[in-house]
Amino acid sequence: MNAPIIDPLQGDFPEVIEEYLEHGVMKCIAFNRRGTLLAAGCSDGSCIIWDFETRGIAKELKDKDCSAAITSVCWSKYGHRILVSAADKSLTLWDVVNGEKITRTTLQQTPLQARLHPGSSTPSLCLACPLSSAPMIVDLNTGSTTVLPVSVSISDNGNGAAPPPKNKFSDGTPPFSPTAACFNKFGDVVYVGNSKGEILVVDYKHAQARAMVPTSGAAVIKNIVFSRNGQYLLTNSNDRTIRIYENLLPSKDGLKALDGLIETVEEQDPVEKLKAVGSKCLTLFREFQDSITRMHWKAPCFSGDGEWVIGGSASKGEHKIYIWDRAGHLVKILEGPKEALIDLAWHPVHPIIVSVSLTGLVYIWAKDYTENWSAFAPDFKELEENEEYVEREDEFDLIPETEKVRESDVNEDDEVDIVTVEKDSAFSDSDMSQEELCFLPAIPSPDVPEQPEKCIESSSKLVDSTNSGSPLSEEGEPNGGAMNHASSPLEEDAGGTRLKRKRKPSEKGLELQAEKVRKPLKPSGRSSKLKNKSVVDEDTSNGFNGDDVSDEYH
């Protein structure tokens, strides 16, 4: 879609269901950076990659060792790899182009969510959020794990250190079970939410909490996600409130800026010091909630440009999507089918929302565009009703006088640059030296052969209608007559006249064929006489009178 010709007065959010995708039972979805490919995890352990331009399946990733439901999918920065987490406690890294499995790691707990490191084109680190344990950094090459801190107490001496052992928990579960964690834009800092409603800014390389931001509701944080540009952080809590925080740290080298803030704070109490640093990292920007129904929210996220915030209703049997602008105003409620919503994603570039229902269907929401010709031609005037028009004297001349007087401001001798590619602000962090995967080569599927039963039935009907009662049928019988219903459909060509493979019929088959030819048929009108003329001639040669036969018919 060409963005410059879109009418800005129509809004940049979807309105209606344009289409739906169906393949098995899909559970979770994720777009690549450009929005050209959509990955969907299924309940049978497979990952389907859709070409979002053609709405067709581009590739299917299936691990024979995994048959459990997929819990999350995540693309690498340039789209060459996909990380898939499953309910069988596994993390699988795939090569998208070749469709080959790179590594497979098994954790002690089921990972509800897994995210690849966003700062690398070929990442080997990922952030996993297990079902009932602390989030952890997983090295996919070695399988080693580093547990991240989930709470801050006085005994931590201000460093918020994680439990010392790696690859295993000291007592099986951490003191607080966070529900979400995410990298910042370039992956040098991890933001963790815990059951006390606190957001921890964690240095994952040293497994230390460097800052803390308490939320106003002090409720369990279920979701935490950054906008694409890294300027805003979204949290979804158990108090039925979505909160937007403005990120005060720079997108790049956020950890260095965090160290500088810690040196400027002179608080002696370690917990208060972390809170003071946290107040300089994040500041509350907006809160979203439904004050009437007080519903819980499902899979909230930002739009591609960060101007809109969406959240799905967590009520059973409802497929509602709420859309707010960043100022906090509710602008639209999208109502879908009577199916619960389990996942949401906004297209990185276009005003398109993709939602997953409990039945496994993926719905595509798009704008309902209306014709507005003035958006294409500024000098076009729309008329509400007919108006009488008086033409100018030279309006229909080959060269109007007004055109002769008017001078063109365009220099026709200037060269037009068709080589330089304008940089898209939505992908300002792209490295031009890296080749980004936007599309997958199409793999043609073989034609499905026709069912043999249908071929046999059609060929037998064709022979019955053309050769029944004709002396040519007797001549065709020794050559492998088509009346042999048990023969292969490959014996005849498409026209039924030239045989590709001959088969001699049995004696019983010849007797049945002869009886059918001699059996008189019930005629209908004059045409029946013509059809049975050959039968009459044959009986006459055997001593019967043709008139008797005709009298018998009539």
Side-chain angles (χ1 to χ4, degrees):
M1 188 179 300
N2 199 350
I5 63 176
I6 296 176
D7 187 0
L9 300 179
Q10 294 187 15
D12 291 333
F13 50 83
E15 299 168 335
V16 296
I17 294 179
E18 179 186 66
E19 197 175 353
Y20 70 92
L21 306 178
E22 182 178 10
H23 183 87
V25 180
M26 290 176 279
K27 294 292 186 180
C28 51
I29 51 176
F31 279 106
N32 65 340
R33 269 169 44 93
R34 301 283 174 172
T36 55
L37 299 174
L38 177 69
C42 301
S43 60
D44 62 351
S46 62
C47 179
I48 306 299
I49 300 178
W50 297 85
D51 188 323
F52 202 70
E53 301 295 329
T54 62
R55 305 292 199 268
I57 295 178
K59 191 173 287 290
E60 180 177 0
L61 306 177
K62 176 65 176 177
D63 186 2
K64 61 180 182 180
D65 298 329
C66 177
S67 59
I70 302 300
T71 58
S72 71
V73 290
C74 178
W75 293 84
S76 63
K77 184 175 182 179
Y78 294 105
H80 293 277
R81 296 184 177 185
I82 281 185
L83 178 65
V84 176
S85 64
D88 62 353
K89 307 178 183 180
S90 65
L91 295 173
T92 306
L93 186 64
W94 291 90
D95 186 308
V96 178
V97 176
N98 300 327
E100 297 177 354
K101 180 173 61 176
I102 300 175
T103 60
R104 176 182 168 87
T105 304
T106 303
L107 304 178
Q108 296 180 358
Q109 300 285 339
T110 300
L112 297 181
Q113 190 182 56
R115 293 289 177 261
L116 287 170
H117 191 279
S120 174
S121 59
T122 56
S124 60
L125 294 180
C126 77
L127 173 64
C129 300
L131 176 62
S132 58
S133 61
M136 60 184 67
I137 299 294
V138 182
D139 190 332
L140 298 174
N141 292 334
T142 62
S144 62
T145 60
T146 303
V147 180
L148 300 180
V150 295
S151 65
V152 175
S153 61
I154 299 178
S155 60
D156 292 334
N157 295 323
N159 59 10
K166 296 183 179 181
N167 299 328
K168 62 180 180 180
F169 302 106
S170 57
D171 57 350
T173 57
F176 299 99
S177 297
T179 53
C182 69
F183 285 108
N184 64 344
K185 182 176 176 60
F186 289 95
D188 54 351
V189 178
V190 173
Y191 288 75
V192 179
N194 62 21
S195 60
K196 298 167 65 175
E198 299 169 343
I199 302 174
L200 304 182
V201 184
V202 178
D203 175 10
Y204 68 87
K205 293 181 180 179
H206 300 90
Q208 292 182 354
R210 312 302 292 271
M212 180 180 66
V213 181
T215 60
S216 56
V220 176
I221 298 176
K222 300 188 296 183
N223 303 97
I224 184 169
V225 61
F226 264 100
S227 61
R228 284 176 58 86
N229 56 14
Q231 295 180 359
Y232 295 95
L233 178 71
L234 179 149
T235 63
N236 176 29
S237 303
N238 255 357
D239 61 353
R240 302 174 174 86
T241 304
I242 297 175
R243 294 177 175 85
I244 305 297
Y245 292 87
E246 185 176 358
N247 183 24
L248 303 179
L249 294 177
S251 297
K252 286 187 177 181
D253 299 327
L255 188 58
K256 292 182 180 179
L258 192 59
D259 293 336
L261 291 175
I262 294 175
E263 294 177 358
T264 60
V265 176
E266 298 179 355
E267 287 285 345
Q268 298 297 326
D269 183 72
V271 177
E272 293 299 326
K273 184 175 182 179
L274 291 176
K275 290 182 179 180
V277 176
S279 64
K280 298 182 179 181
C281 297
L282 296 174
T283 178
L284 183 63
F285 184 74
R286 287 287 183 273
E287 290 186 353
F288 306 96
Q289 62 179 349
D290 191 336
S291 57
I292 299 175
T293 60
R294 298 288 296 170
M295 68 174 60
H296 287 275
W297 303 108
K298 195 85 172 179
C301 62
F302 289 97
S303 62
D305 56 4
E307 293 295 327
W308 310 95
V309 177
I310 60 173
S313 170
S315 302
K316 294 182 179 179
E318 281 188 355
H319 200 97
K320 291 184 178 181
I321 303 173
Y322 289 69
I323 304 178
W324 299 272
D325 59 11
R326 210 166 54 192
H329 303 106
L330 180 64
V331 296
K332 190 75 174 179
I333 300 178
L334 306 178
E335 296 189 16
K338 300 297 182 182
E339 303 168 359
L341 185 148
I342 59 176
D343 201 6
L344 273 177
W346 192 300
H347 193 279
V349 181
H350 301 310
I352 297 175
I353 294 176
V354 179
S355 62
V356 184
S357 69
L358 189 62
T359 59
L361 297 179
V362 171
Y363 294 96
I364 300 174
W365 302 77
K367 285 183 61 62
D368 186 14
Y369 289 98
T370 57
E371 292 183 354
N372 186 2
W373 294 101
S374 60
F376 298 88
D379 57 345
F380 186 86
K381 181 181 178 182
E382 297 182 3
L383 301 179
E384 299 294 336
E385 57 184 8
N386 293 335
E387 295 182 5
E388 186 177 354
Y389 178 73
V390 179
E391 66 186 48
R392 299 192 315 270
E393 183 65 26
D394 62 342
E395 185 171 1
F396 295 101
D397 295 348
L398 294 177
I399 304 178
E401 295 294 332
T402 56
E403 293 293 335
K404 295 179 182 178
V405 176
R406 185 183 306 170
E407 295 182 359
S408 176
D409 297 333
V410 179
N411 186 1
E412 298 181 355
D413 295 332
D414 289 344
E415 294 184 358
V416 180
D417 185 6
I418 61 173
V419 177
T420 304
V421 179
E422 295 182 359
K423 195 170 185 179
D424 193 343
S425 59
F427 308 102
S428 58
D429 61 333
S430 296
D431 184 2
M432 299 305 293
S433 62
Q434 291 288 341
E435 183 179 355
E436 190 166 355
L437 178 64
C438 295
F439 298 99
L440 289 173
I443 301 176
S445 57
D447 295 335
V448 180
E450 296 183 0
Q451 297 295 330
E453 292 80 9
K454 295 182 180 179
C455 297
I456 295 174
E457 183 180 358
S458 61
S459 62
S460 62
K461 289 183 179 180
L462 179 63
V463 174
D464 286 344
S465 60
T466 55
N467 296 338
S468 178
S470 172
L472 297 177
S473 62
E474 293 184 2
E475 298 176 2
E477 285 172 17
N479 295 327
M483 293 302 296
N484 184 8
H485 291 199
S487 62
S488 171
L490 298 177
E491 290 180 356
E492 292 187 31
D493 61 0
T497 58
R498 181 172 56 86
L499 300 179
K500 294 183 179 180
R501 187 173 60 201
K502 298 181 180 181
R503 178 180 294 175
K504 185 178 180 180
S506 61
E507 297 180 359
K508 187 174 181 181
L510 293 174
E511 294 176 0
L512 293 175
Q513 176 65 14
E515 291 178 2
K516 186 170 184 178
V517 172
R518 293 191 182 94
K519 186 177 181 180
L521 302 176
K522 294 182 180 180
S524 58
R526 182 180 176 184
S527 60
S528 62
K529 296 181 180 180
L530 297 176
K531 292 181 180 178
N532 294 280
K533 184 177 179 180
S534 58
V535 179
V536 174
D537 294 340
E538 182 180 356
D539 291 340
T540 304
S541 62
N542 292 331
F544 293 93
N545 188 355
D547 295 333
D548 296 337
V549 175
S550 62
D551 292 338
E552 183 181 353
Y553 283 141
H554 294 283

